[in-house]
Amino acid sequence: MTINLAGYLQLDLYARNAENKVMDIQVLDQAVQKIQDVLPERVIDLTRLKVLCSAVPATITVIGKYNHGKSRLLNELIGHDIFAVADRRETVNLAEHIQQQARWLDAPGLDADVVGQDDRYAQDALWCQADIRLFVHSLKEGELDAAEQPLLQQLQQDDAQSQRQTLLVLTQIDQVADSAVYEQICQSIGAQAPSLKQFPVSATRHRQGLQSAKALLQQKSGIAALQQALHVALAAVPQARQHEKAMLCRVLQQSLTAQQHVLVLQQQQLQQLQQQQRCDFDRDLAGVLHKVTEDLQETIRARSDDDALIADSFENMFKMTAGKQERARIQVAYSKACLEINSVLIQHGVVSLPVQQRSHVRSIDTIMIAVLGVSVKFRQDLQRIFCETAGRERLSRDFAHYFELSDARQALASQLKNLQSQIDQQQHALDALQCLEAIA
């Protein structure tokens, strides 16, 4: 048994090439999608850029109104009856044929249903797929109508920017017998599109000339002249594609960079606001803690006999004693200190506990109670909480913690996180665009 090693190697190479092609398409799709995520309004440009980065043959799109002879013209240019020809509307999606290293697209008519799928096919063929546009107009219909003329102007403007080419093809000239009428229509169309050369053709004459082997009839059909113009146009496609790709990449980069610049400025402004808010809070908190410490000094300084330390006995449980009076005085001083601090917290929006820390008792779901508790009865507690370094540092740390958890600060942090995500997304898009630019 003989093993055809060369055959196996050829199949393996084919499989590898197919796999690499799929991977390349996937990478291309991912890169385009990253850009489209941040520039959704540029979907047509991105679809076109994807075509320019792909190994798609030079594409000729035939566009025109229904029953103006687009499909019949394509068949004559190609030399085979590839595209369906009928008196009724036949082309409702993109008909495609590849021949002689060129891709031919027969798009739905300009009078397609503007909200239907066929119009989307036409837009894709015209703006995303085409390197060369054959704008077909039946001479028997007279001059360009209100739908054709503005579209042709748009195509000419695009040609000037992208270096794509639009050829104005006047079909069905055999159906205009009167030479004076013929000349008048051509002149009118020339006035409407003065910068475009006209290519008058008759697919019927060309077919008849072929079938009857009449060279003069073929020559009078105008097909040969159009084929020669297409040959010249196709030769210019590679250079035009390079120009168009560079132009699209430049425009997209400008849009992405401009958006990123705006986002970075917004981020910087919010970061400055965030820092300023924290500085203001730390300053005001430090100020009120210093004031509270000063105000408490008279209360904290006790005589040699501190009545607050005298415990109440069972006998004087319901009597007003010196110990009770002293502890009440300490509590009042503590409450005043709490009110001073709370006024600063309220100014900075630090009032209620975060939702996850709240209980079912609304009155105790406050930052003040969470940090300082409800009451203080002894001088050493006031000293420890407000006057000792460790106590003051704990207050600053705990209040700052709840300040960062306040609704306003959380909303600001969320804005900054969202902005950073958008900036990252912009950078991913710029990186993706750089990858597309590198594709030969």
Side-chain angles (χ1 to χ4, degrees):
M1 176 175 161
T2 303
I3 299 176
N4 186 356
L5 183 58
Y8 277 107
L9 290 175
Q10 186 175 6
L11 287 173
D12 181 63
L13 180 61
Y14 176 81
R16 288 173 182 266
N17 289 338
E19 182 179 355
N20 289 336
K21 186 175 181 180
V22 170
M23 290 179 63
D24 290 343
I25 292 174
Q26 290 176 344
V27 171
L28 186 59
D29 287 342
Q30 291 171 0
V32 169
Q33 188 59 53
K34 286 180 180 179
I35 303 172
Q36 188 173 328
D37 286 342
V38 295
L39 293 176
E41 71 280 5
R42 294 281 188 173
V43 61
I44 292 178
D45 288 341
L46 287 168
T47 305
R48 178 59 182 164
L49 182 59
K50 181 179 174 182
V51 171
L52 294 173
C53 292
S54 305
V56 178
T59 301
I60 304 166
T61 292
V62 179
I63 191 74
K65 302 193 78 170
Y66 160 66
N67 210 22
H68 278 224
K70 301 190 309 296
S71 300
R72 191 180 298 275
L73 171 65
L74 273 173
N75 289 334
E76 295 307 308
L77 290 172
I78 293 172
H80 299 283
D81 289 335
I82 301 297
F83 298 96
V85 177
D87 291 333
R88 60 187 175 83
R89 181 175 176 183
E90 190 71 27
T91 306
V92 293
N93 53 25
L94 278 184
E96 176 179 345
H97 179 69
I98 297 178
Q99 181 172 305
Q100 298 177 350
Q101 298 181 343
R103 183 168 67 133
W104 302 77
L105 292 180
D106 187 7
L110 295 178
D111 43 1
D113 179 7
V114 295
V115 296
Q117 182 69 24
D118 46 1
D119 183 66
R120 287 189 287 273
Y121 282 133
Q123 295 298 319
D124 180 59
L126 190 60
W127 298 106
C128 303
Q129 303 298 327
D131 297 297
I132 301 168
R133 277 87 64 117
L134 296 185
F135 193 98
V136 172
H137 173 77
S138 175
L139 201 69
K140 69 176 183 179
E141 299 297 330
E143 64 181 22
L144 303 175
D145 66 18
E148 293 172 305
Q149 187 176 3
L151 176 58
L152 193 56
Q153 290 174 349
Q154 291 178 30
L155 294 177
Q156 289 179 271
Q157 292 172 359
D158 178 72
D159 291 348
Q161 294 178 346
S162 68
Q163 293 187 4
R164 289 196 269 189
Q165 300 178 70
T166 300
L167 305 182
L168 177 56
V169 183
L170 305 179
T171 58
Q172 301 174 343
I173 61 174
D174 55 286
Q175 298 185 34
V176 182
D178 191 321
S179 59
V181 174
Y182 176 95
E183 290 298 332
Q184 183 181 0
I185 296 174
C186 289
Q187 289 177 7
S188 297
I189 294 175
Q192 291 176 306
S195 61
L196 282 179
K197 180 181 178 180
Q198 299 174 7
F199 291 91
V201 299
S202 170
T204 301
R205 284 178 184 171
H206 186 259
R207 180 60 62 92
Q208 290 173 349
L210 289 175
Q211 292 174 346
S212 61
K214 293 181 179 180
L216 182 59
L217 196 58
Q218 295 178 43
Q219 182 181 355
K220 291 180 64 176
S221 72
I223 295 296
L226 179 57
Q227 287 175 325
Q228 178 59 32
L230 281 172
H231 179 74
V232 174
L234 285 168
V237 166
Q239 183 177 351
R241 281 187 167 187
Q242 290 180 359
H243 168 83
E244 186 182 5
K245 179 184 174 185
M247 179 197 71
L248 286 174
C249 288
R250 183 171 61 253
V251 170
L252 291 169
Q253 185 179 39
Q254 289 172 350
S255 296
L256 290 170
T257 303
Q259 285 191 6
Q260 189 180 52
H261 179 67
V262 171
L263 291 172
V264 169
L265 283 179
Q266 292 177 353
Q267 183 189 51
Q268 291 173 347
Q269 290 171 354
L270 288 181
Q271 286 173 338
Q272 290 174 358
L273 175 62
Q274 187 183 49
Q275 293 171 2
Q276 188 60 51
Q277 286 180 348
R278 180 59 188 265
C279 288
D280 291 344
F281 176 79
D282 289 343
R283 182 200 63 222
D284 293 347
L285 181 62
V288 75
L289 289 179
H290 177 75
K291 182 178 184 300
V292 163
T293 300
E294 293 295 319
D295 292 345
L296 288 174
Q297 291 306 310
E298 183 179 352
T299 304
I300 290 174
R301 286 194 296 268
R303 301 185 300 274
S304 57
D305 50 342
D306 187 355
D307 294 336
L309 296 176
I310 301 173
D312 291 332
S313 63
F314 182 78
E315 289 79 6
N316 58 22
M317 181 182 300
F318 299 103
K319 296 178 181 179
M320 179 57 67
T321 63
K324 288 181 181 180
Q325 289 179 340
E326 194 61 25
R327 286 191 292 272
R329 179 168 168 263
I330 293 171
Q331 179 63 38
V332 169
Y334 171 77
S335 297
K336 288 181 178 180
C338 289
L339 289 173
E340 291 273 6
I341 295 172
N342 195 44
S343 66
V344 171
L345 296 181
I346 290 174
Q347 290 176 15
H348 292 275
V350 188
V351 181
S352 299
L353 287 172
V355 175
Q356 59 271 25
Q357 287 186 241
R358 293 176 189 174
S359 67
H360 296 293
V361 183
R362 188 175 179 181
S363 60
I364 65 173
D365 288 338
T366 65
I367 304 300
M368 289 301 300
I369 292 179
V371 175
L372 286 170
V374 177
S375 65
V376 168
K377 297 181 179 180
F378 303 105
R379 287 182 170 82
Q380 60 265 35
D381 291 332
L382 287 179
Q383 176 74 26
R384 175 178 51 81
I385 294 172
F386 295 105
C387 300
E388 294 178 2
T389 301
R392 288 166 62 88
E393 288 178 351
R394 184 190 73 83
L395 290 180
S396 298
R397 184 175 60 252
D398 289 353
F399 283 131
H401 168 72
Y402 284 112
F403 171 70
E404 295 298 342
L405 293 179
S406 65
D407 291 342
R409 292 290 283 182
Q410 287 292 294
L412 183 56
S414 179
Q415 281 183 277
L416 282 167
K417 182 178 179 181
N418 183 51
L419 276 174
Q420 185 59 55
S421 176
Q422 293 181 59
I423 291 171
D424 292 342
Q425 200 173 24
Q426 292 282 338
Q427 189 57 53
H428 294 329
L430 283 167
D431 294 341
L433 181 61
Q434 190 174 9
C435 290
L436 294 179
E437 286 182 281
I439 297 175

